[in-house]
Amino acid sequence: MSNSFDKSETTQKNSIWESLKKLRTQVQEVFAEDHIDTNKLMDLEEILILSDTGPKLAAEITKDISKRMKNTKKSHGGKETTEILKEIIKQKLNKLVDVDNLEASFSEAKNENRLVPILIVGVNGSGKTTTIGKLANYFQRQNFTVALAACDTFRAAANEQLIAWGMKNSIEVLESKVVDPAAAAFEAIQASKKKKTDILLIDTAGRLPNNKNLIEELKKIKRVISKAEDRSKKRTWIVIDANTGQNAVSQIEQFKEAIDITGIILTKFDGTNKAGFLLQLSEQERIPILFVGHGEKITDIVDFNPEIIASGIVGTDPANF
Ligand SMILES: Nc1nc2c(ncn2[C@@H]2O[C@H](COP(=O)(O)OP(=O)(O)O)[C@@H](O)[C@H]2O)c(=O)[nH]1
Ligand SMILES: [Mg+2]
């Protein structure tokens, strides 16, 4: 999906760039040499491990750098090595890019008068409700009409938080008097279809993927969605706190096993120093990362962009910006 409607791509680049500052400074320190030797690559390996790349993958990456250095006749200075590392990171992250064009797919649904329900799941405090607030703004800027479904019926304060995001977006928040989240989702879907809303973002209570009862509850919501809008592609997006680091990989895996996850949204990228877990994720996951949240403001969300992240890690200017 293109972010071209945003007032400044540079602002977005800057915020992701800023998020990666700590890791970048460390990488740049290693590569600030005219000759990169094995010792320097070992330093890099350690930095990668500390950023949650995982020891096995970190070793593979430094080995790959060595190999690529040997394959080129060029000098092996910091500048060349930086480019090699950037290329390796980009190649890995590219595997996590969505092959689907969300905007086109949503437009098609709109033309066919189909509602796009999107189920948002994740553990407590990962940023689900905040992300929904940001996505509502994002999709509205692409001229889709959006409504929010309050299906976190667990906490009394949950609805208030969602209603606040609804107000910020000047859109409707569909609440239900029933306690059963699946029934609440059903009502919200019916109401949205009646109003010909384009996209319905369904907020849910946080839960751990190993909690059987709560996962059953999600499955029930999914069944309700399927029945109510059987022609639409099923979209279940997991919201992951980027500070979770490498545990995020197993968290996603567990959720995926329990319910079919179709997209990942990273949040709190602004505070993370564990960005290396993305590299691990790229080795294990084939679920695309759709968006990256990087702050608490409504516009603090960007498309997942490997070029910007790779540049932010190694400290070169991203191409095409
Ligand atoms: N810094 C930062 N904070 C975030 C981000 N996304 C969410 N938060 C904060 O994380 C906390 C939990 O968010 P919330 O949306 O309530 O999580 P939920 O329990 O998954 O619905 C709140 O204080 C949010 O303001 C983000 O991208 N960056
Ligand atoms: Mg919430």
Side-chain angles (χ1 to χ4, degrees):
M1 197 175 295
S2 154
N3 257 326
S4 54
F5 55 86
D6 266 352
K7 66 177 183 300
S8 157
E9 287 179 331
T10 315
T11 312
Q12 300 197 2
K13 186 201 94 175
N14 285 347
S15 56
I16 295 297
W17 184 268
E18 204 44 46
S19 308
L20 293 162
K21 187 170 176 182
K22 194 174 162 213
L23 180 55
R24 176 170 63 252
T25 308
Q26 293 171 328
V27 171
Q28 282 178 322
E29 235 173 73
V30 171
F31 286 155
E33 301 277 338
D34 293 335
H35 185 75
I36 302 302
D37 57 13
T38 314
N39 278 339
K40 283 286 156 196
L41 288 182
M42 276 167 72
D43 288 347
L44 176 71
E45 194 173 316
E46 198 179 314
I47 290 166
L48 290 176
I49 292 170
L50 289 174
S51 75
D52 270 21
T53 304
K56 188 167 159 270
L57 184 57
E60 271 170 37
I61 290 172
T62 44
K63 225 169 140 186
D64 193 8
I65 295 175
S66 278
K67 210 171 91 196
R68 293 192 198 205
M69 279 162 80
K70 282 188 192 118
N71 287 344
T72 95
K73 294 264 182 305
K74 282 195 235 163
S75 73
H76 300 151
K79 204 160 168 263
E80 292 79 15
T81 323
T82 298
E83 282 302 329
I84 292 174
L85 176 62
K86 180 184 166 185
E87 201 46 43
I88 291 172
I89 294 174
K90 232 176 89 174
Q91 278 173 358
K92 292 199 184 300
L93 297 186
N94 272 333
K95 294 189 232 164
L96 292 166
V97 171
D98 193 11
V99 289
D100 226 17
N101 183 333
L102 278 189
E103 194 178 3
S105 175
F106 292 175
S107 293
E108 190 185 299
K110 186 185 175 87
N111 291 337
E112 292 171 5
N113 244 321
R114 271 188 288 126
L115 173 70
V116 176
I118 304 172
L119 183 61
I120 305 290
V121 305
V123 302
N124 245 329
S126 57
K128 293 177 294 301
T129 307
T130 308
T131 298
I132 285 174
K134 293 176 185 175
L135 286 179
N137 178 267
Y138 185 103
F139 294 140
Q140 285 202 104
R141 279 182 283 149
Q142 290 184 323
N143 294 320
F144 294 110
T145 55
V146 183
L148 311 182
C151 298
D152 177 354
T153 50
F154 237 60
R155 295 180 304 127
N159 280 13
E160 285 166 38
Q161 196 191 352
L162 197 67
I163 288 165
W165 280 111
M167 276 162 68
K168 276 186 210 169
N169 280 294
S170 308
I171 55 172
E172 195 172 12
V173 177
L174 301 155
E175 285 183 277
S176 172
K177 288 190 178 56
V178 296
V179 187
D180 176 27
F186 180 79
E187 284 179 17
I189 289 170
Q190 297 308 325
S192 304
K193 283 167 85 169
K194 220 174 189 169
K195 290 197 171 156
K196 299 202 185 312
T197 305
D198 298 325
I199 299 170
L200 178 67
L201 295 164
I202 303 171
D203 195 18
T204 61
R207 67 201 74 213
L208 290 170
N210 58 9
N211 185 320
K212 248 185 137 188
N213 288 339
L214 291 181
I215 291 296
E216 277 310 312
E217 193 182 274
L218 276 187
K219 286 185 182 168
K220 199 171 154 198
I221 303 177
K222 283 192 65 173
R223 281 198 296 274
V224 161
I225 295 172
S226 300
K227 273 195 193 139
E229 194 46 274
D230 61 340
R231 289 172 305 151
S232 267
K233 183 179 164 191
K234 304 300 163 282
R235 297 184 192 275
T236 304
W237 295 351
I238 189 168
V239 174
I240 293 282
D241 180 341
N243 296 292
T244 315
Q246 55 188 326
N247 290 335
V249 181
S250 56
Q251 204 180 95
I252 293 168
E253 203 58 39
Q254 278 180 287
F255 263 100
K256 191 175 85 176
E257 262 172 43
I259 52 165
D260 187 27
I261 301 288
T262 60
I264 299 167
I265 301 173
L266 296 179
T267 57
K268 309 186 196 183
F269 203 72
D270 47 313
T272 186
N273 51 22
K274 294 179 174 171
F277 87 93
L278 286 174
L279 299 170
Q280 280 202 63
L281 204 61
S282 74
E283 295 293 286
Q284 298 185 25
E285 273 315 324
R286 286 299 165 265
I287 305 174
I289 297 179
L290 306 175
F291 300 98
V292 180
H294 55 86
E296 294 181 276
K297 291 200 306 289
I298 197 164
T299 50
D300 288 341
I301 192 160
V302 294
D303 295 354
F304 174 65
N305 185 325
E307 169 69 28
I308 297 178
I309 295 177
S311 307
I313 293 174
V314 304
T316 58
D317 251 352
N320 309 317
F321 259 92

